[in-house]
Amino acid sequence: VRAQVMQVEESPTVGYEDIGGLDDQLREVRETVELPMENPGLFDNVGIQPPSGVLLYGPPGTGKTMMAKAVAAQTDATFIKMAGSELVHKFIGEGAKLVRDLFQVAREHEPAVVFIDEIDAIASKRTDSKTSGDAEVQRTMMQLLSEMDGFDERGDIRIIAATNRFDMLDRAILRPGRFDRLIEVPKPDEVGRAKIFRIHTRDMNVADDVDFEVLARESEELSGADVKAVTTEAGMYAIRDDRTEVRMGDFRNALEKLDHDDEPDVSRTF
Ligand code: ATP
């Protein structure tokens, strides 16, 4: 049962160099997660406690999971991921039990980075907290907070949560000692997109006419995940055309295709 809802990676392979355009965010994640794991004495000497939990928020596909994985890789920690939606269950007590299991697994794998995606699923502002389903969700959240209280901040388990719905969050989870470090992870700007294009074409056979600066300019509003999809799609165009080299035209076609996929033509009749 555990394996289905929890993803455990003993040695994640994502590195900081695989992440484009999030320099400030990475610095903050490293300061708050990596530093206390690698050098707890630093915090002792100054007499402060590192943040208990870090919350990453921003649109989907911007690299939140990647950053959590990269910091786990850097600290030789096990990466343990669970989605908040997996914690919302029909049976009373099941969500809280899964949270206990999650931390049990983390303790068995120390050092560990626990990544809880879609934290909003268990920590939303409620419109009607009287229905039993909501009460159950609240109990799950309380269990998570009590697990976080239960361990030493300088211990070898760090918690990173992520959400696309910051506006929906119950502010109670942002109080000191909880998820008290907030890091916004936005969509990349033009410079960031160019970097992400370069990262995802490192192993591609790219023709000389390909200009990533131009592609970055022409791909406004795309997330990192979208940019990655464009590079794969561009490769598909080359394959269809029986070429091993991917040209600027392939990237342009891919960009255009993705644009159209995003906006289905509702006027079409079937
Ligand atoms: P979600 O909120 O949907 O879970 P996320 O922010 O956690 O999204 P990731 O899972 O980290 O997004 O990103 C999905 C994929 O998109 C990554 O595996 C990577 O290939 C690519 N990607 C996203 N952002 C970046 C980035 N900043 N640099 C390089 N690649 C990126």
Side-chain angles (χ1 to χ4, degrees), residues 210-248:
V210 174
D211 186 333
F212 291 119
E213 269 64 43
V214 171
L215 288 170
R217 208 177 311 139
E218 291 175 1
S219 55
E220 215 168 317
E221 284 303 307
L222 295 201
S223 68
D226 296 331
V227 170
K228 185 192 181 184
V230 168
T231 62
T232 305
E233 193 60 38
M236 292 307 298
Y237 276 103
I239 288 175
R240 262 174 240 145
D241 207 22
D242 251 344
R243 277 179 283 110
T244 53
E245 216 180 37
V246 188
R247 297 177 184 158
M248 187 66 169

Side-chain angles (χ1 to χ4, degrees), residues 18-22 58-67 81 115 117 163-164 185 196 199-200 223-226 228:
D18 298 320
I19 302 172
L22 294 173
T62 46
K64 298 183 286 298
T65 308
M66 266 189 121
M67 283 203 287
K81 176 180 165 177
F115 180 68
D117 205 0
T163 182
N164 307 323
V185 186
I196 298 170
I199 288 169
H200 288 292
S223 68
D226 296 331
K228 185 192 181 184

Side-chain angles (χ1 to χ4, degrees), residues 146-245:
S146 95
E147 292 283 349
M148 288 177 71
D149 288 343
F151 61 75
D152 187 343
E153 282 84 358
R154 292 154 307 158
D156 270 343
I157 302 174
R158 315 295 309 169
I159 308 165
I160 303 178
T163 182
N164 307 323
R165 308 294 314 269
F166 186 71
D167 54 315
M168 296 273 292
L169 283 187
D170 184 340
R171 293 292 179 266
I173 74 156
L174 308 180
R175 283 190 205 131
R178 298 178 171 178
F179 293 97
D180 50 9
R181 187 58 84 98
L182 307 180
I183 303 176
E184 183 177 10
V185 186
K187 283 187 184 176
D189 60 10
E190 196 176 311
V191 174
R193 289 195 298 275
K195 284 187 185 151
I196 298 170
F197 266 113
R198 289 210 165 78
I199 288 169
H200 288 292
T201 51
R202 277 194 302 229
D203 297 327
M204 273 171 76
N205 189 0
V206 174
D208 288 340
D209 72 332
V210 174
D211 186 333
F212 291 119
E213 269 64 43
V214 171
L215 288 170
R217 208 177 311 139
E218 291 175 1
S219 55
E220 215 168 317
E221 284 303 307
L222 295 201
S223 68
D226 296 331
V227 170
K228 185 192 181 184
V230 168
T231 62
T232 305
E233 193 60 38
M236 292 307 298
Y237 276 103
I239 288 175
R240 262 174 240 145
D241 207 22
D242 251 344
R243 277 179 283 110
T244 53
E245 216 180 37

